[in-house]
Amino acid sequence: MGDAYDYYSEMDYADLAEMFGETAEEIEPDFSAWYDKHSDKLETDYVNLFIDECFWEDEEPFQEMVLDELLSDKSDNKDELLALIVSDSDEITTIETDEEFMYIPDFMDDETTDEEFENILEYRKGYPCDCWGAPKEYKLFTVIVNMYARFEVEMYLSKYAACNYEVGVGWGNIFEYANDMLSKFLSRENIKTIKDLKDYLANNENRILLED
């Protein structure tokens, strides 16, 4: 990031003074003393500036690369970082899966009898969402909450949703459809905070049923 002191020392004093309702003349005689007086705010603003201009740059997926590296860290640093970003009491504002190729099993075939269709996967009459290219019926997905909190869960489609999707579009990617149903899942289960979601997963064998 460089040094905050160096960054601000090169700025126009008039611009700095405006941030604090002061005058350039109050800064110019002893910049170091003025910086020490406001160092907490200046350094916080500097970090935020760095994040806004570099970390969330549109031109490159820089933030994804850095975030994935931090979250894959096995040391205690990862937990400390996440504690600064999210907490169990945070209200859930966004939820989605990072799996871009989510498929439903091809169950509408000539080999499946009506009886098998009725009894398959007794877990709430759901069908597993399969990860494209993964072993058959691999159904572990990373659900991302509020951009940073991540949960490894099994994903299922209700029989009704699976039937309608299969009839409507055939074998296909349901990524966007699943994200929409994830939001409906929160509403249906009255899940409002990250802790609510943790409790739900703990009580439901780490499974989420997607319904439309």
Side-chain angles (χ1 to χ4, degrees), residues 89-113:
S89 61
D90 287 346
E91 183 177 345
I92 296 176
T93 56
T94 60
I95 182 169
E96 64 179 7
T97 171
D98 72 347
E99 176 55 68
E100 295 186 6
F101 297 96
M102 179 186 295
Y103 284 77
I104 59 173
D106 193 6
F107 57 85
M108 301 287 283
D109 56 59
D110 294 337
E111 298 176 3
T112 303
T113 67

Side-chain angles (χ1 to χ4, degrees), residues 108 121 134 152 173 209:
M108 301 287 283
L121 276 174
E152 298 298 317
N173 189 339
L209 180 71

Side-chain angles (χ1 to χ4, degrees), residues 61-127:
F62 184 72
Q63 75 280 16
E64 283 189 25
M65 178 182 70
V66 174
L67 183 61
D68 287 343
E69 184 69 24
L70 289 171
L71 295 182
S72 64
D73 186 357
K74 302 304 182 186
S75 70
D76 292 339
N77 292 337
K78 180 187 75 170
D79 295 331
E80 293 173 4
L81 170 71
L82 285 175
L84 293 173
I85 299 174
V86 295
S87 70
D88 285 0
S89 61
D90 287 346
E91 183 177 345
I92 296 176
T93 56
T94 60
I95 182 169
E96 64 179 7
T97 171
D98 72 347
E99 176 55 68
E100 295 186 6
F101 297 96
M102 179 186 295
Y103 284 77
I104 59 173
D106 193 6
F107 57 85
M108 301 287 283
D109 56 59
D110 294 337
E111 298 176 3
T112 303
T113 67
D114 290 343
E115 183 178 359
E116 288 173 330
F117 181 79
E118 282 301 317
N119 295 320
I120 195 169
L121 276 174
E122 284 302 312
Y123 171 65
R124 299 184 67 179
K125 297 295 184 181
Y127 293 97

Side-chain angles (χ1 to χ4, degrees), residues 5 26-39 42:
Y5 181 94
E26 295 176 76
I27 302 175
E28 194 166 358
D30 191 345
F31 176 80
S32 293
W34 180 86
Y35 182 89
D36 289 342
K37 177 183 175 183
H38 298 293
S39 60
L42 289 169

